[in-house]
Amino acid sequence: MLFPTVEFAIFFPIVLALSWALMPRQLLWKPFIVVASYVFYAAADPRFCLLLAAITLVSQAAALAIHRTEDERLRKWFTAAGVTFDLGVLAVFKYYGFFVSDVSDTLNSVGLGSPLPLVTIALPVGVSFFSFQAVTYVVDVKRRQTEPASLLDAAIYLSFFPHLVAGPIVRASEFLPQLRKPRDPNRVAVGAGLTLIAMGLVKKVMIADYLGREVVDKVFAVPQAYSAPDAILGAYAYAAQIFCDFSGYTDMAIGLALLMGFVFPQNFNSPYRATGFRDFWRRWHMTLSRFLRDYLYIPLGGNRKGKVRTYINLMLTMALGGLWHGAAWNFVAWGAYQGTGLSAEHALNGRLGRLFPGWLRWFVTFNLIVVGWILFRSTDLSVFGDYMAALVRSGPATLYSVPVVGAIVLVIGLQLLPERPMEGIELRLGRLQPLLLGALLALVVLVVGATVPSQGVPPFIYFRF
Amino acid sequence: MTEPERQDALERLIPEDFETIAEMEAEARPGREGQPYGDDSLMQRFDRWGLRRFTGWDGVKAILLTTFLLLIFAGGSIRAAANELKPGLGRDIVKAIGEPAGWVADQLPFAETRRELTSWLSPNQQLSGRGFEARPGRPTVLPPVPSTPQPLHRLLVTGDSLSTPLDIEIARKLADQGAAVQVTRDPHLATGISNTGLVDWSKLSSTQAADDDPDAVVLFIGANEGYPMPGPSGAQVNCCGPAWEAIFRSRVGQMMDNYLRGGVQRIYWLTVPTQRDPARKPIADDVNEAIRSEAASHGAAVRVVDLIPTFTPGDRYRDAISIDGRQTIVRMSDGIHLNEDGSSVAADLVLQALDRDFNF
């Protein structure tokens, strides 16, 4: 079940009302919210609920086993077992085909044949997100940052429908404390929740899908058919599209959770105002970047083992982060590109700030990020090559229009404005009377709905991951 | 508003915990000076900004108001959405709500007002409806098919989700060949010939022929078929079987006629390769049979590009086939669609067929 659908529009009001009605009776509320979340997930494919349940049971067993022993060696083994299972599920469902194809190609080239059956496995929606959340649960218990939850609480944490299919990746230590006592029905950020839902809808349907339809899909499908003006427009349009698509989803997820009394961590903070790669990753998909930092980069040794190991760790972390986005070499290359940028910044050790003015650092960073997006959006490395060739091919501009350029400038420009006015607007909207915001939300849905083409609403980009 | 007034207005929004906006901002930023990994989750941001000021029931009331307004302004959309869903419990629930909601919306003037006010925002014309005739009369005369290869200037690749990434592969291969062919890609995801709720392919085929003016059309559709369709008597006919296939065939025929009457010289219609789920086989069989028989009745104007011998020989599903001597996965994980490698193979078959009839 996707957020901007009629099914969800029927599902959510019922669940929201029952949730607040049952909230004081936690013995009823907790099973109810688990069932509601599994119903939400089953709408995609009921069989995947078994996978979600298996991850929950194994992670819970691992967490309890870790907590019950003081033997550090045993704690490590239980952690390894839990994490291996969680990541193993991800590996099998997401990377089997990729791995087998590449191994098969390699072995075929030396005449050894394919050792494993070449079959495709259906990718359960959201597996990349809930498997990572399961890892945070097991590891946070190992690190004594959180106590093991009851099985019911663990099930809610992993299946809670607002974050189930595309994040944000909420740490166990952020979510489980919110389950320890009923959410206070008198302290709910209703205005902020409704505002975020409306903003998310506008970002996704009116901006991201529009730019995808009018520019991005065309240029990236056949870059050979376009020249530099269109290729440049396509790259900037994709930068705006992917931001609006993913942050739009996140806004809706955070807004829905707020209406139910829960707070999720922030996931975006004006990423295109970054003045360096490090700054970018503190603003873009923040819950993933901190996961990679806390559960991969730092355990690898971080920057504590000398310069060379730091660069290796950065490259490895970002390449694996790239692979998390999809089972394809272009994602690995994109991750390595980000790792190279981070390593270069690390090597310069803050000297960039002293050597160059802020506007120049922003300009260079932004355009390097956009080049990275070309790699990210290309379906394979040959398309990336074709796209880069298009960027230097002279020819006419065929895709420019006032709404397209206006949308790109709006999305990127708003992130560059001083933040006070924007925050002021968000704060004002968040304080409006809920009934007024409810009426405004209906208006937004009607307007947004009118812009949906006959081709329908494409799925969120991050649903593929 | 002057700058000092604006600052004053903003200052009034600051929660009590902070004295200045700068202080509030500094607290809200990840990676504060000296605290590289400080409060990076910003879990307290709604408290700090003073936004947790309403009750849970305020939220319920607001969402119920939103729902009520959507019902009276767009109740018909719920009914339409139900018709687009696959049969099952979810569809039954949406239908149970959609029918009365649609009825209520039909009795009130709001839906029409909404349509009038927002129609200018719609990116394309209304394509849903009942454009297919129950008993089509074969058009008296279809334009003659050229007997010699003609230049190919414009090619339309369309269909449901099956038609992409096939459309991309065809466009890329033509571009790589240096062919000056303008390829229009027009996939309509989640649509079907047997379901006119979202897109009526009778209307769409006429519109595409008029708007895009293609020399040739490549059609790959059939992932969302199997819906009940009204028969000649008006009664709904369920899939699958001769009666359903006959209606489906007449719809396929009307689409072919629409394209040909609209100036298209030739149509290349791809069959649906066998799918993994055996329950889908009767649907695919009826769809393919309708395509073959209707193409035969249109002579050389319609070519069937049969994918079954290539992708599922013996009508047996498989994920991988041999390409250039090595086994390659050609299907997506849903067991329905072709992946990029598979679409590339299908595109080669289409280009071979095009090459017989056109110069490019």
Side-chain angles (χ1 to χ4, degrees):
Chain A
M1 201 184 299
L2 308 181
F3 292 160
T5 59
V6 168
E7 298 99 293
F8 188 75
I10 293 169
F11 170 86
F12 184 66
I14 297 168
V15 171
L16 181 67
L18 285 173
S19 176
W20 283 115
L22 297 175
M23 186 61 82
R25 300 172 191 82
Q26 290 284 285
L27 282 177
L28 292 176
W29 181 83
K30 287 183 177 179
F32 162 74
I33 209 67
V34 171
V35 170
S37 295
Y38 272 74
V39 166
F40 172 87
Y41 196 53
D45 188 332
R47 292 172 300 175
F48 295 152
C49 289
L50 294 173
L51 189 70
L52 180 58
I55 281 196
T56 305
L57 289 172
V58 171
S59 301
Q60 176 67 2
L64 289 175
I66 294 162
H67 184 68
R68 282 175 188 163
T69 177
E70 288 301 316
D71 182 335
E72 279 306 313
R73 221 178 52 126
L74 273 178
R75 287 170 67 87
K76 268 188 185 170
W77 275 107
F78 288 136
T79 307
V83 169
T84 303
F85 181 82
D86 295 335
L87 296 183
V89 165
L90 185 62
V92 168
F93 282 89
K94 191 164 175 175
Y95 300 109
Y96 178 85
F98 173 67
F99 172 74
V100 167
S101 286
D102 278 35
V103 168
S104 169
D105 283 355
T106 308
L107 293 179
N108 265 327
S109 65
V110 293
L112 290 174
S114 303
L116 293 165
L118 276 171
V119 294
T120 60
I121 298 176
L123 178 66
V125 66
V127 67
S128 306
F129 291 89
F130 63 71
S131 58
F132 269 23
Q133 290 205 164
V135 169
T136 78
Y137 177 46
V138 173
V139 175
D140 284 359
V141 170
K142 156 76 170 60
R143 290 174 177 171
R144 296 190 171 86
Q145 287 173 352
T146 192
E147 297 274 310
S150 68
L151 179 60
L152 206 49
D153 283 6
I156 296 170
Y157 165 58
L158 291 176
S159 69
F160 191 49
F161 67 87
H163 68 54
L164 180 57
V165 290
I169 301 167
V170 188
R171 285 177 181 138
S173 54
E174 290 163 346
F175 193 84
L176 291 175
Q178 299 186 63
L179 292 175
R180 292 206 182 109
K181 56 181 182 179
R183 300 284 77 210
D184 183 349
N186 296 313
R187 293 187 66 247
V188 182
V190 174
L194 293 168
T195 304
L196 285 167
I197 293 168
M199 280 171 52
L201 276 170
V202 171
K203 279 183 185 174
K204 162 65 181 162
V205 182
M206 289 186 77
I207 303 177
D209 292 353
Y210 173 74
L211 289 173
R213 201 167 57 237
E214 295 298 318
V215 183
V216 178
D217 293 348
K218 291 176 181 170
V219 187
F220 278 90
V222 197
Q224 306 96 305
Y226 293 91
S227 43
D230 285 337
I232 291 167
L233 182 75
Y236 288 131
Y238 185 61
Q241 184 199 3
I242 193 168
F243 170 74
C244 285
D245 190 285
F246 192 23
S247 75
Y249 175 86
T250 301
D251 285 347
M252 283 188 257
I254 294 173
L256 293 166
L258 279 178
L259 291 181
M260 300 182 73
F262 287 85
V263 178
F264 287 169
Q266 193 169 348
N267 216 17
F268 291 90
N269 180 18
S270 301
Y272 293 143
R273 67 183 294 138
T275 53
F277 278 87
R278 192 177 177 208
D279 192 17
F280 176 75
W281 280 101
R282 285 184 181 167
R283 295 170 174 274
W284 176 269
H285 202 177
M286 293 150 71
T287 57
L288 173 69
S289 51
R290 66 183 196 172
F291 177 92
L292 294 174
R293 181 196 68 209
D294 295 346
Y295 300 93
L296 187 56
Y297 176 67
I298 290 174
L300 282 171
N303 60 1
R304 303 186 306 274
K305 297 189 175 177
K307 276 194 170 180
V308 175
R309 269 298 296 273
T310 301
Y311 301 144
I312 291 171
N313 291 342
L314 279 170
M315 292 298 289
L316 198 58
T317 301
M318 296 313 290
L320 288 171
L323 188 62
W324 175 86
H325 286 83
W329 285 111
N330 65 304
F331 290 118
V332 179
W334 174 76
Y337 175 82
Q338 299 292 334
T340 306
L342 287 168
S343 300
E345 270 183 20
H346 199 274
L348 290 166
N349 197 22
R351 271 174 286 172
L352 281 174
R354 292 193 296 275
L355 291 172
F356 303 107
W359 68 267
L360 185 59
R361 279 182 283 133
W362 167 80
F363 182 79
V364 172
T365 302
F366 175 66
N367 284 288
L368 287 174
I369 294 297
V370 171
V371 170
W373 286 138
I374 298 173
L375 189 51
F376 188 90
R377 176 61 173 77
S378 300
T379 44
D380 55 49
L381 295 175
S382 73
V383 174
F384 176 68
D386 290 339
Y387 204 102
M388 298 312 280
L391 281 172
V392 292
R393 188 163 44 236
S394 61
T398 63
L399 298 171
Y400 285 73
S401 68
V402 172
V404 163
V405 176
I408 297 169
V409 170
L410 182 77
V411 171
I412 294 163
L414 279 179
Q415 297 182 44
L416 304 180
L417 287 176
E419 289 177 55
R420 287 181 198 179
M422 291 308 295
E423 275 182 5
I425 292 167
E426 284 181 34
L427 287 170
R428 280 171 204 275
L429 285 172
R431 291 172 179 211
L432 287 178
Q433 278 305 309
L435 284 178
L436 177 60
L437 282 171
L440 286 174
L441 178 60
L443 181 66
V444 167
V445 173
L446 291 172
V447 170
V448 163
T451 67
V452 175
S454 61
Q455 289 92 338
V457 177
F460 288 94
I461 293 171
Y462 266 67
F463 276 17
R464 280 177 245 154
F465 309 148
Chain B
M1 187 185 281
T2 62
E3 182 57 25
E5 285 171 342
R6 197 177 66 82
Q7 283 298 324
D8 279 350
L10 285 171
E11 295 289 348
R12 282 198 295 276
L13 294 173
I14 302 170
E16 289 173 2
D17 313 16
F18 303 98
E19 289 186 1
T20 65
I21 289 176
E23 190 182 329
M24 184 175 75
E25 284 182 337
E27 189 69 24
R29 293 287 159 273
R32 297 163 63 198
E33 201 65 38
Q35 277 188 303
Y37 305 134
D39 176 19
D40 61 5
S41 56
L42 303 174
M43 293 294 282
Q44 306 303 319
R45 63 195 184 281
F46 298 105
D47 292 296
R48 287 170 181 165
W49 295 342
L51 293 173
R52 292 177 69 165
R53 49 175 43 218
F54 300 106
T55 70
W57 288 105
D58 286 335
V60 175
K61 285 180 212 164
I63 286 292
L64 289 178
L65 175 65
T66 307
T67 310
F68 172 73
L69 291 172
L70 291 177
L71 280 178
I72 61 169
F73 278 96
S77 306
I78 304 174
R79 187 173 47 201
N83 293 330
E84 289 157 21
L85 295 173
K86 296 264 185 261
L89 181 63
R91 184 184 192 220
D92 294 342
I93 293 170
V94 176
K95 206 173 172 105
I97 294 166
E99 289 292 346
W103 182 85
V104 169
D106 291 344
Q107 310 309 310
L108 299 168
F110 303 116
E112 192 52 40
T113 309
R114 189 255 312 171
R115 265 191 290 274
E116 283 171 14
L117 289 174
T118 60
S119 59
W120 63 278
L121 287 165
S122 185
N124 41 29
Q125 57 182 286
Q126 180 60 252
L127 288 171
S128 62
R130 295 176 190 277
F132 286 109
E133 300 162 32
R135 279 179 184 277
R138 177 54 30 91
T140 47
V141 183
L142 284 172
V145 182
S147 55
T148 54
Q150 300 292 305
L152 180 63
H153 300 296
R154 287 175 299 279
L155 176 69
L156 168 66
V157 187
T158 188
D160 59 11
S161 51
L162 290 174
S163 70
T164 190
L166 171 75
D167 52 356
I168 295 172
E169 293 295 332
I170 290 174
R172 277 193 195 146
K173 284 172 189 282
L174 285 169
D176 286 341
Q177 289 176 21
V181 180
Q182 183 192 321
V183 180
T184 303
R185 301 182 299 110
D186 194 17
H188 290 261
L189 310 184
T191 65
I193 296 170
S194 60
N195 179 9
T196 56
L198 191 60
V199 164
D200 183 324
W201 275 91
S202 176
K203 276 187 191 175
L204 179 59
S205 50
S206 297
T207 307
Q208 287 174 324
D211 292 353
D212 302 327
D213 191 23
D215 301 311
V217 174
V218 176
L219 259 158
F220 194 14
I221 184 167
N224 312 296
E225 304 300 352
Y227 287 89
M229 293 182 284
S233 66
Q236 293 287 312
V237 177
N238 289 322
C239 187
C240 303
W244 189 88
E245 190 205 312
I247 303 166
F248 192 83
R249 182 184 161 176
S250 89
R251 292 188 171 198
V252 168
Q254 287 175 65
M255 286 172 62
M256 292 174 178
D257 292 346
N258 291 343
Y259 285 122
L260 296 173
R261 274 189 299 222
V264 172
Q265 293 173 33
R266 290 186 198 266
I267 298 165
Y268 299 84
W269 202 308
L270 283 70
T271 57
V272 180
T274 312
Q275 297 161 24
R276 184 190 290 140
D277 182 359
R280 299 178 73 97
K281 188 171 181 338
I283 303 172
D285 285 348
D286 279 4
V287 167
N288 289 338
E289 187 49 38
I291 294 167
R292 290 191 189 102
S293 51
E294 207 49 39
S297 74
H298 281 76
V302 181
R303 309 275 196 202
V304 175
V305 180
D306 197 352
L307 300 186
I308 292 173
T310 304
F311 289 98
T312 50
D315 233 357
R316 194 171 64 81
Y317 177 83
R318 61 206 75 197
D319 283 325
I321 62 171
S322 176
I323 301 175
D324 297 332
R326 75 185 170 91
Q327 285 291 306
T328 307
I329 291 176
V330 289
R331 304 298 285 260
M332 287 189 183
S333 57
D334 58 12
I336 298 170
H337 298 85
L338 299 179
N339 66 8
E340 278 156 24
D341 287 327
S343 296
S344 176
V345 172
D348 287 336
L349 295 173
V350 170
L351 292 178
Q352 282 169 22
L354 277 166
D355 196 36
R356 286 197 293 272
D357 303 323
F358 289 96
N359 296 320
F360 53 88

